[in-house]
Amino acid sequence: MFAALGRLVARRPWFVILGWVVVAVAVLATAPKLTSTTNEAQFLPDHYESIKALKLQTSAFPDRTDIGAIMVFDRKDGAKLTAADSAEVAKISAALGKKSYPSFSTITPTPASQNKLVQTSIVSMKPNKPAFDVPAMNSVKSLRADAKPLLHGTDLRMGVTGAAAQSLDSQDASKNAEAIVGIATVGLILVLLAIIFRSVLIAIMPIITIGLVSQVATGLIAMANKAFDLKADNSIQVILIVVLFGIGTDYILFFLFRYRERLRDGEPSRSAVAHAVERAGEAIASAGGAVIVAFMALVLSSLSLFRSIGPALAIAVAVTVVASLTLVPAVVSLLGTRVFWPSKSWKTEPRAARFAAIGRALGKHPARFALVSGIFLAVLSAFAIGFKPTFDLSSTGAPKTAESTVALHTLQRGLPAGATDPTTVYLHSTSGGALDPAQLTGFGARLGKAEGVAQVSPPALSQDKATAVYSMVLSHDPASDTALADMKGPIRTTAHEAAPSGTEALVGGTTSVYVDLQQAMNRDYAVVFPVAAIVIMLILALLLRSLVAPLYLMASVGLGFGATLGAASLVFQDALGRNGLIFLLPIYIYLFVVALGTDYNILMIARLREEARGGKDARAAAAQAVKHAGPTVAAAGLILGGTFASLMLGGNALLTSMGFAISFGILVAAFVMAMFFTPSLTALIGHAAWWPGHGDETRVESGVSPLESEVPSLE
């Protein structure tokens, strides 16, 4: 299959390139825009309490207006607000209330806080208008712009926070991150490829080809999201940039190394392209297949967020694999040896002295290498126990300098932290009859006494009087660990127990959503991770025809996962003092460290098996595998780790922690797991590593290894 593909690409490069252009134009012309959401409720299935409450609100209170934003006023000098200041707040609110905004209805000033440091105006949403969509964010933009001239000549300053404002600032931060990460990723790839190959054209080629591929992949992902009603969070486009350029460059490297090797053997350029596709095709397809399977395991998640991330990244990798086996070879077929311009180093085979020395040391003392690398991974894994998830996507999505974040901190100087995002509690008659007014009063009184509740407003009744809604302000930040603990324990418990006979109580709101997210995540960890591990082990068993090697390869990858999560917890929670890390982090570590760590292990052990088939014993084979495959694994890990590290420039806590964790995990996968742990264990286990197959036995009858597609030297 790969031989036929190689011949086609080498002989008809213009047809292949034209085919890609046609596909790209067709996809771009028909694909919808790739959209994202910051509404965590859209990620949850219907059976969770917070979603039941949301559905009850829609049916019982179709005209109910939610708080979309909060205008927070205080004095520029930080002093207490005067009566004149409060009058100015009312005047500004009235002026803004007369303007028309796509998603906002009324703007209502509230009394100054008890300590007179803060005063707010509540911006209500129009009925059935969500606070997380584009019209709501555009409304915030207009509101902020209209308020600026009204503040001139006063002693007041004002900031807008709340759901719509936080969504806007989070989206803006994501767009900025996309630009910063894109520039950093492209720059890093240019520099590293230029250093590795000393070629201007090779440095530029992946940027151009992957740029085209990214448009196709993004369009296909948008089509899939629309077809299957999948929801993506607002970090997906930034991650796609890194995945496409990072993984794409890795796969292009595998092809280029093989192409260069065939040229050094004296083959003509187009013949070398055909052979490179034939020999590297299996490695690229296997590596991409393992990554795709790992990503697709997320379809088993109960959260639509992960069910959309998995297929999206799988589509991106699949398109990248196809491009690496067709578009890139076609371009190289046209350029020939000019692709290495201006360098001439491709003509000579280097000695790879550094990796040869490492390989010899590992071959002589495999137990030492296995012990040291294993202890390193195990010690870092121990810190993973201290991982604390945080579910506040808003604060992790926007930088500390964003207006919504600053206004939130200002508000908390005078009001309960939960005032920005009240919790809603619904009391519903299960028989459909009218609720008893006396029972409503008693229920509200019980709610107000629950731990973690600052205040409860009088209930509002639905038109049929069968449902009542209470607005409840929490004592703590609605996204804090304390608020979540209160919600899981005393608040929901009190609401359920206090519901009179013949009624049911449902607690909604953001904090309730976070509690349900936490429950869903715990379920997904128990389902997705084991299933993915089993599927990847099956792939390894089929690829290596062994039942033993997959066991310690997956153990290696598992230690890499634990070490990565432990390192992130150690750096951000212990060293930097954060209360927790975004709850998505373990999933992203799984996606990239587990999947790509498996790839690097496959590359190393495939070369090791080939050396054994050449007649070497287990230790000598391990030494040669490190010598020849080590440079390629190191280069691939360095490029991919570096591209993910660029996420740390994104400007918010989510991308910073994700960038550090994934780049650290990839470097560990390349330089610890694949370089030392896997080959040293294989050297120690010896022939038994391939049981019940005979993958390490010499093929005397042919004299040629079926794994001739070895990973060539990079130096």
Side-chain angles (χ1 to χ4, degrees), residues 158-173:
M158 187 273 290
V160 182
T161 188
Q166 289 171 333
S167 295
L168 172 64
D169 292 341
S170 179
Q171 183 187 71
D172 289 344

Side-chain angles (χ1 to χ4, degrees), residues 11-32:
R11 293 172 183 173
R12 300 286 188 271
W14 280 115
F15 284 95
V16 174
I17 294 172
L18 180 61
W20 269 96
V21 172
V22 170
V23 170
V25 171
V27 170
L28 291 176
T30 58

Side-chain angles (χ1 to χ4, degrees), residues 61-126:
F61 300 94
D63 297 327
R64 178 178 170 81
T65 58
D66 293 325
I67 297 176
I70 299 177
M71 300 165 58
V72 182
F73 296 87
D74 71 336
R75 286 183 59 90
K76 296 175 184 177
D77 57 9
K80 292 183 178 182
L81 294 166
T82 65
D85 293 330
S86 293
E88 287 290 348
V89 170
K91 180 180 177 182
I92 292 171
S93 300
L96 293 173
K98 294 177 181 178
K99 296 182 179 293
S100 176
Y101 300 104
S103 295
F104 295 158
S105 57
T106 60
I107 299 177
T108 307
T110 65
S113 62
Q114 190 172 0
N115 60 11
K116 301 297 183 182
L117 293 178
V118 175
Q119 187 168 356
T120 64
S121 285
I122 305 300
V123 183
S124 299
M125 300 294 297
K126 291 180 179 178

